[in-house]
Amino acid sequence: LGADRGPILEVIVSRMRYITTQTGVPVRFVGLSTALANARDIGDWLGIDKVGLFNFRPSVRPVPLEVHIQGYPGKFYCPRMATMNKPTYAAITSHSPKKPVLVFVSSRRQTRLTALDLIAYAAADENPRQWLHVDENLMDGVLAGIKDQNLKHTLEFGIGMHHAGLCESDRTVVEELFCSEKIQILVCTSTLAWGVNFPAHLVVIKGTEFFDGATRRYVDFPITDVLQMMGRAGRPQFDNHGVAVILVHEPKKSFYKKFLYEPFPVESSLPDCLHDHFNAEVVAGTLTTKQDAVDYLTWTYFFRRLVQNPTYYNLESTNYEDVNTFLSGLVESTLFALEDAQCIAVNEDDSIEPLTLGRVAAYYYLQYSTAALFSENLNEDLDVEKL
């Protein structure tokens, strides 16, 4: 809920609950999450009473997990990642010399660089194929079908790579080799943490940052992603003990020490992209008046957190008049911006109608600001070059 895609989830659930009140048809929600400090707020939002709410501390898990957090200095990202390769090798030899290992990195490039460095360190120890647990002749037959040349090279040494840049057949072969423990190490991007339940005794999270193309800078993984990656270690049906080693930027070491062991509160990210969701609801016919928009907000998780943590959302107090004024002002400013972008029309009787640009934006999942750009710059005199 607090991440970039959180508002989408929040709007879908809020819409379902809102529609349920209008139609009288009950809807059942089943929610799964990491440990939360404000699980009660999420339960209230989902309409779950105390009987259906279960919240456990992060330390509660079927298989005990041993966690090590190590900080590394360095202002620049790539050199810092390079300094983490030797500690990654040391963690493997120390904590899981014979058992499966998952190494999470932030990019496709890092999967290759990390795998090659691990091979170099193993070669320096005069045991380059220590992680290959299958006859080399049999492995040659498997390698013949691999299309990616970098992957073909690392597999010779018992190290697989897994990322979205590989073709499906290569990914499937890597998954089968790792699950059958023919290769011991899998270097992968963070998306794998939410996918297949791979058996791993040790998880190494090599860096907790990734490059965000939208903002053109390195940003931190959501804490939920880090917890999910850690959770890959010590799977119940495969192991009775797990180890997670987290390599972080030195200034962030204390932060991770605190929040990896304590449940954290989740705030709403809906206000940051309310315009696009309001536009979609107007086009869908859910919102037909300004009052509908205000009522709709009261069904969101944002509203629950607004009254619980007003300072976070720049609300001065939680008395009825101030909350009502805040929500009305938020609705007014959002609808005005959408009207200015020619996505909707607000009539004198406060009714709301979708316009063509709004329908296009909702149908193609465009931001309202993109529709505004079209509105301001497109005209019948434009030629192909100007377009």
Side-chain angles (χ1 to χ4, degrees), residues 150-228:
N150 291 313
L151 176 61
K152 182 179 291 188
H153 173 65
T154 61
L155 283 176
E156 293 179 26
F157 301 92
I159 301 177
M161 296 188 295
H162 195 288
H163 55 74
L166 297 175
C167 66
E168 186 176 355
S169 61
D170 282 0
R171 287 201 304 270
T172 301
V173 170
V174 170
E175 291 170 6
E176 290 175 352
L177 289 173
F178 186 74
C179 288
S180 60
E181 299 188 15
K182 292 177 181 177
I183 60 173
Q184 186 180 332
I185 297 177
L186 183 60
V187 185
C188 53
T189 51
S190 60
T191 50
L192 189 72
W194 299 94
V196 182
N197 183 22
F198 288 140
H201 176 72
L202 169 67
V203 163
V204 179
I205 302 175
K206 197 190 123 186
T208 56
E209 301 161 304
F210 69 99
F211 185 78
D212 181 27
T215 58
R216 297 183 179 180
R217 62 189 180 92
Y218 287 97
V219 298
D220 291 321
F221 282 118
I223 196 76
T224 49
D225 281 15
V226 176
L227 291 169
Q228 186 71 17

Side-chain angles (χ1 to χ4, degrees), residues 282-298:
V282 171
V283 171
T286 309
L287 306 181
T288 56
T289 66
K290 287 184 179 180
Q291 188 57 47
D292 284 346
V294 175
D295 293 341
Y296 178 82
L297 281 180
T298 63

Side-chain angles (χ1 to χ4, degrees), residues 132-152:
L132 183 64
H133 304 306
V134 65
D135 185 84
E136 291 184 23
N137 293 328
L138 293 176
M139 194 63 179
D140 288 341
V142 174
L143 295 177
I146 298 295
K147 297 180 176 62
D148 187 277
Q149 294 304 311
N150 291 313
L151 176 61
K152 182 179 291 188

